[in-house]
């Protein structure tokens, strides 16, 4: 972190619509707040499995509320999340593992593309309702985010390597070490200790804790 700046880590997965909301809002705040924002791509499926958490929409009443909540937040924050009842089935049927490995590989090799790439994955899945799990979809997202075909192909070949798999596992484990049980997990390192905030609706509380 820069002089006197607070390091804020955002642990996220592109399968999570609330992660997108948190991501966009923190991207705006980093220009106003005295923070260094660090994106930490992690795997939500791994966190759910290891903490015994269940997708909120498995509880029908909670699923109903979530639909309204995401729509309201999307409008409030001006983030183009498009959500309908069918989306919960779509989430259950999609593995974000290849996408999160691809994002991790980009973070390791070409981090300047991390932000636009992550945004494009959310756009494709949550705005355009298209698949993000197949190699051809991943390559299309990468091209949209500004990666050359050559680089996209190279990164795609990296996703099956132990280095990338291990890095994603390590980041996911790190999120859980801070207390994460879902996503987004925001960790602010302030006054020598980490402060964990869950979700995209605790950002004013985050600001208050770090003196913003």
């Amino acid at each position: 972190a820069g002089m006197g700046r607070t390091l804020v880590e955002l642990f996220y997965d592109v399968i999570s619509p609330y992660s997108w909301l948190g991501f966009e809002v923190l991207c705006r705040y980093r220009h106003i707040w005295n923070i260094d924002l660090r994106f930490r791509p992690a795997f939500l499926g791994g966190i759910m499995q290891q903490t015994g958490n269940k997708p909120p929409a498995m509880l029908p009443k909670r699923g109903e509320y979530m639909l309204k909540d995401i729509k309201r937040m999307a409008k409030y924050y001006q983030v183009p999340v498009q959500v309908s009842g069918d989306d919960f089935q779509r989430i259950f049927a999609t593995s974000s593992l290849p996408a999160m490995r691809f994002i991790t590989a980009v973070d390791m090799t070409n981090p300047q593309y991390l932000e636009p790439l992550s945004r494009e994955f959310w756009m494709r899945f949550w705005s355009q309702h298209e698949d993000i799990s197949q190699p051809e979809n991943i390559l299309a997202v990468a091209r949209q985010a500004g990666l050359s075909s050559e680089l996209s192909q190279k990164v795609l070949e990296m996703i099956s390597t132990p280095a990338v798999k291990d890095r994603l596992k390590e980041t996911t484990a790190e999120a859980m070490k801070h207390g994460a049980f879902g996503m987004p997990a925001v960790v602010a390192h302030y006054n020598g200790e980490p402060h964990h905030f869950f979700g995209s609706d605790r950002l004013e509380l985050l600001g208050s804790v770090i003196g913003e």
Side-chain angles (χ1 to χ4, degrees):
M3 266 306 287
R5 293 171 82 79
T6 300
L7 172 63
V8 174
E9 297 182 281
L10 173 68
F11 293 88
Y12 67 95
D13 186 317
V14 294
I15 202 90
S16 153
Y18 286 108
S19 288
W20 190 13
L21 293 162
F23 171 90
E24 294 298 357
V25 177
L26 284 169
C27 281
R28 294 166 196 173
Y29 280 167
R30 78 179 155 190
H31 301 294
I32 307 162
W33 287 357
N34 193 24
I35 60 172
D36 283 320
L37 180 59
R38 188 172 171 209
F39 300 120
R40 305 297 309 276
F43 181 46
L44 180 57
I47 289 183
M48 298 299 267
Q49 195 184 1
Q50 291 180 57
T51 60
N53 195 356
K54 300 272 184 290
M58 285 176 79
L59 186 68
K61 279 290 172 207
R62 201 168 167 195
E64 275 170 43
Y65 175 78
M66 250 178 93
L67 279 180
K68 289 183 196 147
D69 186 53
I70 291 172
K71 282 176 183 164
R72 282 191 295 222
M73 288 190 77
K75 191 178 171 192
Y76 179 73
Y77 285 127
Q78 299 289 297
V79 176
V81 186
Q82 306 284 338
V83 66
S84 68
D86 316 338
D87 284 322
F88 296 132
Q89 288 317 116
R90 215 162 60 94
I91 298 175
F92 295 149
T94 302
S95 170
S96 63
L97 193 55
M100 293 317 297
R101 281 180 179 158
F102 189 89
I103 292 169
T104 298
V106 163
D107 186 24
M108 292 165 77
T109 56
N110 299 85
Q112 71 273 26
Y113 290 115
L114 184 57
E115 183 185 328
L117 178 70
S118 301
R119 185 174 286 118
E120 283 303 332
F121 270 110
W122 275 305
M123 286 293 286
R124 192 175 182 92
F125 191 74
W126 283 107
S127 228
Q128 296 151 359
H129 288 198
E130 290 179 40
D131 188 72
I132 54 165
S133 61
Q134 300 306 311
E136 62 272 21
N137 302 113
I138 290 174
L139 289 173
V141 170
R143 280 196 300 275
Q144 194 69 37
L147 282 79
S148 67
S149 312
E150 194 183 2
L151 179 58
S152 306
Q153 196 58 51
K154 198 182 87 180
V155 175
L156 189 66
E157 284 159 21
M158 286 177 67
I159 72 174
S160 51
T161 62
V164 170
K165 289 179 178 178
D166 288 349
R167 164 70 87 88
L168 183 58
K169 277 187 195 139
E170 282 158 18
T171 308
T172 305
E174 206 176 314
M176 284 187 291
K177 190 188 80 193
H178 287 305
F181 52 87
M183 295 227 171
V186 182
V187 179
H189 298 267
Y190 187 70
N191 272 350
E193 57 177 311
H195 300 261
H196 167 229
F197 301 87
F198 169 63
S200 51
D201 55 353
R202 287 290 180 269
L203 298 175
E204 65 277 25
L205 199 56
L206 160 69
S208 161
V209 165
I210 66 174
E212 290 293 347

